[in-house]
């Protein structure tokens, strides 16, 4: 019975997805943040090790970016590794960092998207940080969607880094703390975020059924819409993505008014 249902879904979903695309409302988000959550739980559910889950999750990144291209999204931010994740046991962390590095390098090789690392790269092993920087440099002139890869990323750390950068910049200009305190506003801090110059995310998607931000884009997501999907990240499908976009488009965004 289960195999029959799966076979039916494989036959019916392409037509269903095509109909969803045709009927997609016009209000498409410009910037989508995605919390790629559930790799380890997916691996446990299928009886495999953690590294297998991370590899399956990495394999689902390129399809996601293709779906984003398909509907006209301009910026995507992928949360691949948090600052908290860096505290995982070395036996899990080292393979995960290798998988992330290989995945980002593969995206760069496609020459379809501009890669931009966001996170505290100084917290990462030097080889991984260099891999991320190389991907950014290799895609700098690509005329495609901007893809932020958040590795070693934490929202509180980002805000602290932004304030530190602002203070250093002001000191270099000879401005005193008292002078800075009289003029500082939210825009000054925004200009020093990892995503400076980019639109804030209109939509944040989190997989695996968890319904919390966990520190993802804390500053930027103040006015974002959120979509929580029950599927673990490796099982996240095109139809799930299209449902998230459709749900966003159907919402009335008031921005506090």
């Amino acid at each position: 019975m289960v195999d029959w249902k799966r076979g039916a879904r494989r036959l019916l979903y392409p037509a269903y997805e095509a109909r969803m695309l045709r009927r997609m409302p016009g209000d498409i988000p410009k910037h989508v943040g995605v919390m790629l959550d559930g790799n380890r739980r997916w691996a446990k559910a299928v009886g495999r090790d953690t590294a297998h889950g991370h590899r399956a999750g990495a394999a689902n990144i390129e399809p996601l970016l293709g779906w984003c291209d398909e509907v006209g999204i301009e910026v995507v931010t992928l949360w691949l590794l948090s600052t908290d994740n860096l505290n995982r046991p070395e036996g899990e962390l080292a393979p995960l960092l290798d998988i992330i590095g290989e995945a980002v390098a593969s995206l760069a090789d496609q020459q379809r998207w501009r890669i931009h690392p966001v996170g505290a790269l100084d917290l990462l092993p030097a080889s991984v940080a260099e891999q991320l920087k190389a991907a950014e440099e290799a895609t700098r002139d690509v005329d495609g969607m901007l893809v932020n890869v958040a590795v070693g990323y934490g929202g509180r750390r980002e805000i602290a880094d932004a304030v530190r950068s602002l203070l250093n910049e002001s000191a270099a200009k000879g401005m005193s703390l008292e002078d800075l305190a009289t003029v500082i506003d939210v825009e000054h801090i925004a200009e020093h975020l990892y995503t400076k110059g980019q639109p804030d995310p209109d939509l944040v998607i989190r997989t695996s059924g968890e319904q919390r931000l966990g520190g993802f884009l804390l500053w930027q997501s103040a006015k974002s819409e959120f979509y929580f999907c029950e599927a673990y990240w490796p099982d996240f499908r095109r139809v799930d993505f299209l449902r998230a976009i459709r749900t966003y488009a159907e919402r009335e965004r008031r921005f506090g008014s």
Side-chain angles (χ1 to χ4, degrees):
M1 179 65 71
V2 172
D3 289 341
W4 179 86
K5 289 182 178 179
R6 288 176 179 169
R9 290 193 189 102
R10 282 197 295 270
L11 290 173
L12 295 175
Y13 270 135
Y16 175 52
E17 292 166 354
R19 186 175 63 187
M20 288 179 69
L21 274 174
R22 288 195 302 271
R23 298 181 178 180
M24 190 67 66
D27 189 14
I28 300 299
K30 290 183 178 179
H31 182 173
V32 174
V34 187
M35 305 172 71
L36 287 61
D37 194 21
N39 291 341
R40 293 193 297 177
R41 280 170 284 167
W42 178 88
K44 183 177 181 181
V46 299
R48 302 294 297 272
D49 62 18
T50 298
H52 179 77
H54 291 314
R55 283 192 292 270
N60 206 25
I61 293 173
E62 187 177 329
L64 169 71
L65 297 182
W67 306 332
C68 290
D69 273 338
E70 189 175 39
V71 299
I73 290 167
E74 298 174 8
V75 183
V76 178
T77 299
L78 306 171
W79 199 8
L80 304 182
L81 186 80
S82 73
T83 49
D84 290 338
N85 295 155
L86 293 172
N87 297 320
R88 289 181 178 177
E90 180 64 20
E92 178 184 350
L93 182 59
L96 174 54
L97 288 169
D98 288 342
I99 291 167
I100 289 173
E102 291 167 3
V104 173
S106 177
L107 295 180
D109 289 342
Q110 298 292 319
Q111 289 292 293
R112 295 173 60 189
W113 308 292
R114 284 179 294 136
I115 308 299
H116 176 57
V118 296
L121 299 188
D122 57 300
L123 298 181
L124 303 175
S127 59
V128 177
E130 287 303 317
Q131 207 167 13
L132 298 177
K133 293 175 185 176
E136 179 175 37
E137 184 60 33
T139 59
R140 188 174 301 279
D141 298 324
V142 172
D143 183 19
M145 186 170 61
L146 176 61
V147 179
N148 297 314
V149 288
V151 184
Y153 176 87
R156 290 179 175 178
R157 171 68 186 247
E158 178 181 23
I159 294 169
D161 283 349
V163 172
R164 186 180 302 110
S165 175
L166 174 59
L167 291 174
N168 288 334
E169 179 186 79
S170 301
K173 294 178 179 178
M175 183 180 290
S176 69
L177 286 177
E178 290 76 12
D179 291 338
L180 178 60
T182 63
V183 299
I184 190 172
D185 60 20
V186 295
E187 293 305 319
H188 286 100
I189 295 176
E191 290 169 0
H192 292 266
L193 295 171
Y194 302 147
T195 58
K196 60 185 176 183
Q198 301 179 20
D200 288 337
D202 303 294
L203 172 66
V204 175
I205 299 171
R206 180 166 189 166
T207 59
S208 85
E210 300 287 351
Q211 298 191 20
R212 51 189 167 80
L213 270 180
F216 184 50
L217 300 177
L218 287 178
W219 183 282
Q220 299 92 327
S221 64
K223 296 181 180 179
S224 301
E225 299 293 324
F226 298 93
Y227 184 87
F228 301 105
C229 179
E230 291 296 323
Y232 295 138
W233 169 245
D235 282 337
F236 188 76
R237 305 159 299 171
R238 181 170 177 253
V239 68
D240 299 314
F241 171 77
L242 293 175
R243 284 169 177 162
I245 300 301
R246 182 181 63 185
T247 299
Y248 165 85
E250 291 173 346
R251 292 178 184 173
E252 181 182 355
R253 305 188 73 197
R254 299 184 182 88
F255 301 104
S257 62

